[in-house]
Amino acid sequence: MHVLLTGSSGWLGRFLAPRLRAAGHRVTGLDVAAGADTDCVGSIADADVVRAAFDRGVEAVIHGAALHKPDIARYSEQAFIDVNVTGTLNLLAAAAAAGHDRFVFTSTTSLMINQAIRDEGGDAAVWLDETVGPLAPRNIYGVTKLAAEGLCRLYSIEHGLPCVVLRTARFFPEDDDTLTHPSGENLKANEFLNRRLTAQDAAAAHLAALERAPDIGFDTFIISAPTPFAREDVRRLKSNAVEVILEKFPDAADLYAARGWSLPSSIGRVYDAGHAEWRLGFRCSTGFSDILAALRDGSDMPFNHDPSYVSPKG
């Protein structure tokens, strides 16, 4: 299959393009920045750029291009609307006109987090699955990604274009731009309990969605490492997360201490990826137990950490 991959020069693109080719697909990469996997340089906000990419004979779209949360400091709200909303509309319209039978959209769990959830008030962790709502994103990034999800749903209903929306949890390699403690690898390791996945698993989820889209029609999936917790844990996760973690992983505290790391004392939200497992047939291969396994045998962490990474921009 000839796949148009937008965002081909970005973090996801560098993992996804090779996997698509390894699976036997032909890939045309489209990105505003040049890159090893990018064939067409230009903005998806430009309908002529999108049209030129489709003229290459693409048969399906994986749409990963976007302005992201860190870009809020560098770009205007209008730029977010142009890229994240108008760009998505341009791609959907071109795919529908071409008679495509699959469209995969990279969304984000960030749009599920309103300010109250962000502030982590209350006496229990918030259990987040695809039924949570109404959604009230707290910034222009979330607002525009939610609008793009709505366009995918609309094109599925009105044009019969099968669209799969993947709300990916965190898989960026750089440091968090708001949290300072714990930092670096320690924070990323902790997040595999409730809100992170590897870039490799993110890429694998997109391949699964590409394959299953015609059968699914339209659906939205949280993509995150499988949490070891259950809904019954939410109150104790908020008040004493370490206790809950050690019940499930008795040697975690010692392994962390040997590395100079700290376990989270409180967890305020948990992403439940169960819907993706039973309907999409996808489960992330890396979870918190793999973090502990690496600590036990002294091997490299099974995730990417690069504090100097900056998303490429045109």
Side-chain angles (χ1 to χ4, degrees), residues 114-137:
N114 58 34
Q115 193 58 50
I117 296 174
R118 177 76 171 82
D119 292 341
E120 295 193 354
D123 60 358
V126 178
W127 193 268
L128 293 161
D129 62 18
E130 294 83 355
T131 67
V132 169
L135 300 178

Side-chain angles (χ1 to χ4, degrees), residues 110-168:
S110 179
L111 61 79
M112 303 174 69
I113 308 305
N114 58 34
Q115 193 58 50
I117 296 174
R118 177 76 171 82
D119 292 341
E120 295 193 354
D123 60 358
V126 178
W127 193 268
L128 293 161
D129 62 18
E130 294 83 355
T131 67
V132 169
L135 300 178
R138 69 187 187 279
N139 54 40
I140 190 65
Y141 171 53
V143 166
T144 52
K145 293 298 275 189
L146 182 57
E149 284 191 7
L151 289 171
C152 290
R153 179 184 56 80
L154 190 66
Y155 263 74
S156 179
I157 294 170
E158 295 190 348
H159 299 274
L161 174 62
C163 294
V164 174
V165 174
L166 301 181
R167 288 181 182 166
T168 57

Side-chain angles (χ1 to χ4, degrees), residues 24 74 96 199 265 290:
R74 302 191 289 268
S265 59
D290 298 291

Side-chain angles (χ1 to χ4, degrees), residues 175-176 179-190 261-262 305:
D175 286 329
D176 188 281
L179 299 176
T180 58
H181 182 78
S183 61
E185 287 188 316
N186 188 172
L187 177 61
K188 287 183 172 65
N190 289 355
W261 285 2
S262 60
H305 175 63

